[in-house]
Amino acid sequence: MIGVVYLGNNPKTQERLKYIPGQLVRMTNAYKDAAQVCTPHVSNEHFIVFFERNVRSEDITAITYLRKKCRNVYIILLTDDMSEEERNIYIKCGVNDTINKDASVTVLNKKILFISDRENILFDDEAPKYRILKFKIPVWKRLFDIIFSGLAIIILSPIFILTAIAIRLESKGPILFKSKRVGTNYTIFDFLKFRSMYIDAEERLKDLSKEHNQYADKDEEDEHKTITAPLGDQAEQDMLDMGMESEMMISDEEVMLIGDDFVVAESDFNKQKDEDINNAFVKIENDPRITKVGRFIRKYSIDELPQLFNILKGDMSVVGNRPLPLYEAEKLTADTSIDRFMAPAGLTGLWQVEERGKGGNMSAEERKQLDITYGQTYNFMLDMKIIFRTLFAFVQKENV
């Protein structure tokens, strides 16, 4: 049972909260009054507090007081843009989540429903006062994973043996390839696959051009690339004296960022930063690092079979969001991407059956949104549909 409380004095926010369907939002403008409202009358009564951001010092006092008096609250800060420093300060004093202060009734209601559906995870009456949102796999899903993976390992054991022999005969190196992957709750684990590449594949990756990356933006022109140049003390001064007008051809109005050993236009720096985030996923077309056996087992997804042991162990599920390599996951830590990790990590998922079986390319943003959608809507019937569609999509028409 969850109640909703508003703490603030913004008439526009109060008006929107009045129209939350099926919710009677209690309005307060003093933190002591809010704490009194959030005092539970029964043991399993919890509250969502929408806290309107105001003066930081006063906010910290109010949030700290709420946390001290009420362990059964989930505090959402209504705010506009904040610096990273401000965000960390609010989190340390007890804020659980943030949302734009001008969010619509629909967005506010979705947030309430999202928290209500995960009440048993977010509100642990025996937990410390500072809670971290953490996904827990449902019992039905874990039982299905154990039964499915156990039976699959037994039935497919001949394929395991034949594949291992083929890999060993073609090239030197281990039969299984282990890589660190990031799954549910950003948990890092050893991800198992049949080795499909030569043993120096990791070293070859940096030599591959950007044109091979399916998820990279191939429409970028050379003139948009980040401009950097090494600087010495005299060189830096000369460039400043000339207004950056000679070799770099940058307008006088352009803001320049100067580091210890480079100079770069601010617009180019921001563009490169956005590109790095947008191209977090790396997928190489016609990858020359793959062996002949590797191409076959990849085409029929045989290389994925050792992940059944990951599923049996509990590192991942049969259906979920694909666990990512560390270098990809570290680029998906922004607020807009975190939800994909608050869901099961899986062997197959929505993005595989939506595009992979069609032989079409998918952008990183499309893939991320499908992952988030699955995390918000997964259920037993959806998992069964994805497994069924995977049977028809596992033969890849693309050479990746």
Side-chain angles (χ1 to χ4, degrees):
M1 172 173 17
I2 291 185
V4 182
V5 179
Y6 171 72
L7 175 52
N9 52 16
N10 186 335
K12 294 182 179 179
T13 304
Q14 292 175 343
E15 186 65 22
R16 287 196 298 274
L17 287 172
K18 289 179 181 178
Y19 290 96
I20 298 295
Q23 287 285 349
L24 176 62
V25 182
R26 301 285 296 273
M27 305 293 176
T28 61
N29 54 21
Y31 62 85
K32 291 186 178 180
D33 292 340
Q36 187 173 1
V37 172
C38 293
T39 301
H41 299 288
V42 292
S43 59
N44 64 340
E45 187 176 17
H46 306 116
F47 296 89
I48 299 172
V49 177
F50 286 102
F51 186 97
E52 191 90 33
R53 182 186 174 196
N54 195 9
V55 180
R56 189 171 72 182
S57 59
E58 296 177 0
D59 291 347
I60 293 174
T61 300
I63 295 169
T64 302
Y65 183 87
L66 278 173
R67 280 294 177 203
K68 183 178 180 180
K69 295 294 184 180
C70 308
R71 293 179 56 186
N72 58 332
V73 295
Y74 188 92
I75 301 177
I76 301 175
L77 184 67
L78 297 171
T79 180
D80 47 16
D81 293 337
M82 292 192 299
S83 67
E84 191 65 27
E85 179 184 3
E86 289 178 317
R87 185 181 299 276
N88 289 335
I89 290 173
Y90 276 97
I91 290 175
K92 286 181 180 179
C93 72
V95 166
N96 296 97
D97 201 351
T98 62
I99 194 170
N100 191 282
K101 65 177 183 179
D102 298 319
S104 66
V105 174
T106 300
V107 172
L108 293 171
N109 187 47
K110 283 184 177 180
K111 179 65 70 173
I112 293 173
L113 294 176
F114 180 85
I115 296 171
S116 298
D117 290 342
R118 292 155 178 80
E119 184 176 1
N120 62 326
I121 300 174
L122 297 175
F123 299 96
D124 183 357
D125 295 326
E126 301 301 323
K129 64 178 180 178
Y130 299 124
R131 301 173 181 86
I132 299 175
L133 180 62
K134 187 175 182 180
F135 173 80
K136 293 182 180 179
I137 190 168
V139 175
W140 66 263
K141 192 169 180 65
R142 181 60 187 144
L143 288 175
F144 176 80
D145 290 340
I146 293 173
I147 296 172
F148 183 97
S149 59
L151 290 175
I153 290 171
I154 295 172
I155 295 172
L156 299 174
S157 56
I159 297 179
F160 276 87
I161 296 172
L162 292 175
T163 303
I165 294 174
I167 292 172
R168 178 55 60 85
L169 290 176
E170 182 186 21
S171 61
K172 296 180 180 179
I175 294 172
L176 291 179
F177 175 75
K178 294 182 181 180
S179 65
K180 297 294 183 183
R181 292 292 180 100
V182 181
T184 304
N185 300 316
Y186 286 95
T187 301
I188 300 174
F189 65 95
D190 287 327
F191 183 81
L192 302 177
K193 296 183 73 172
F194 278 123
R195 181 173 60 83
S196 60
M197 292 185 175
Y198 295 101
I199 57 176
D200 59 346
E202 294 291 337
E203 297 176 5
R204 297 188 188 190
L205 179 60
K206 62 183 179 182
D207 297 328
L208 296 177
S209 67
K210 177 182 174 182
E211 295 178 358
H212 287 85
N213 185 3
Q214 174 181 316
Y215 292 123
D217 186 353
K218 299 180 182 178
D219 295 329
E220 291 292 327
E221 300 294 337
D222 289 341
E223 67 261 23
H224 295 310
K225 292 180 180 178
T226 303
I227 302 173
T228 61
L231 292 176
D233 294 338
Q234 184 60 45
E236 179 178 327
Q237 185 59 49
D238 290 344
M239 296 181 79
L240 292 173
D241 291 341
M242 292 187 294
M244 311 294 179
E245 294 174 350
S246 56
E247 292 183 343
M248 306 187 76
M249 301 296 292
I250 296 192
S251 67
D252 293 335
E253 297 180 357
E254 178 67 275
V255 177
M256 303 303 296
L257 304 178
I258 299 176
D260 293 335
D261 57 357
F262 69 89
V263 58
V264 59
E266 183 178 35
S267 59
D268 289 331
F269 176 82
N270 291 332
K271 189 177 187 64
Q272 185 66 49
K273 184 177 180 181
D274 291 340
E275 182 180 330
D276 288 342
I277 294 174
N278 292 334
N279 297 335
F281 299 106
V282 174
K283 194 173 187 179
I284 306 299
E285 299 179 21
N286 300 313
D287 195 333
R289 303 171 297 162
I290 303 175
T291 64
K292 292 180 180 179
V293 172
R295 293 189 187 282
F296 179 84
I297 64 176
R298 281 192 170 204
K299 180 178 181 181
Y300 295 99
S301 300
I302 297 173
D303 64 319
E304 310 284 354
L305 293 182
Q307 290 155 43
L308 291 169
F309 291 98
N310 284 122
I311 296 171
L312 191 62
K313 182 182 175 183
D315 294 327
M316 50 194 286
S317 184
V318 176
V319 182
N321 296 334
R322 191 68 170 166
L324 299 181
L326 302 184
Y327 63 85
E328 293 182 7
E330 69 178 357
K331 297 177 181 180
L332 295 176
T333 55
D335 290 347
T336 55
S337 306
I338 287 176
D339 282 353
R340 83 166 304 281
F341 295 97
M342 302 305 296
L347 176 66
T348 185
L350 267 182
W351 77 267
Q352 286 97 329
V353 299
E354 288 293 334
E355 283 292 330
R356 196 175 183 183
K358 301 176 184 178
N361 292 341
M362 178 182 292
S363 70
E365 180 61 27
E366 289 173 325
R367 175 176 167 179
K368 183 181 71 176
Q369 291 304 320
L370 283 175
D371 287 343
I372 292 174
T373 298
Y374 176 78
Q376 294 175 343
T377 60
Y378 77 92
N379 53 63
F380 181 77
M381 289 305 301
L382 177 60
D383 280 11
M384 294 304 101
K385 290 179 181 178
I386 291 175
I387 292 174
F388 179 78
R389 292 180 63 185
T390 300
L391 297 177
F392 296 93
F394 78 99
V395 179
Q396 302 180 43
K397 296 180 181 179
E398 51 184 332
N399 186 17
V400 296

